[in-house]
Amino acid sequence: MVIRLKRYYGDNHVTKSRMEVVMEGETAPRLVCEAREPRFKEYTEVFEGAAKYCLPVGKWQLRVGGSPYSPMGLRVAKCPGHRQVYIGHNWMRQWEVGRVLIGYPTEAELPEEVEIENGEECCRELEKLVYEAFGNGEEMWLEIDNIAVATTI
């Protein structure tokens, strides 16, 4: 299973991505939603305070196991400047340090106005795919790219 974050917007507060979940051996995504991370910065090397920013571009292995969201929750165990970044949701916030929050997009004309909603429902859909991938013995990866990101920094 591969989760792709295709970033399209970033500023000093939030990083916004379109998220696609593709199962092993398939080409079409089974889940398409939105993802939110903390403030945007393009980097590859560790720097002091990196954990307060979005994850770096790259391909990161996901670990499955107990998380604040599910017994089969996903997390990026390790990548430059970050440890234990969970994929989940928050009823009250659009982004959170140490998390990739997911949900479905609201209607908006401008990218900076798009928000996420129904995160719990979105997480349940992801959890079903995680159980399936785990049962099939699939490795799980997070791929991040900034190709389409527009910034206001």
Side-chain angles (χ1 to χ4, degrees), residues 29-117:
R30 293 256 206 107
L31 175 64
V32 177
C33 60
E34 289 280 309
R36 298 292 182 269
E37 299 170 84
R39 60 211 267 189
F40 181 77
K41 184 173 183 83
E42 199 157 345
Y43 65 98
T44 56
E45 299 295 323
V46 177
F47 61 94
E48 189 162 332
K52 295 178 183 175
Y53 290 85
C54 60
L55 294 167
V57 168
K59 184 174 180 178
W60 313 110
Q61 189 158 29
L62 292 167
R63 302 279 185 229
V64 178
S67 82
Y69 307 101
S70 164
M72 290 294 282
L74 291 174
R75 70 188 183 281
V76 177
K78 185 178 178 184
C79 73
H82 298 268
R83 302 283 184 275
Q84 307 299 341
V85 176
Y86 292 99
I87 298 176
H89 71 93
N90 188 315
W91 295 279
M92 302 294 288
R93 301 188 66 172
Q94 289 292 302
W95 61 270
E96 188 175 347
V97 171
R99 304 285 190 260
V100 175
L101 299 182
I102 63 172
Y104 296 107
T106 60
E107 294 287 325
E109 289 185 30
L110 301 172
E112 57 267 25
E113 296 173 350
V114 178
E115 294 190 349
I116 53 174
E117 61 185 5

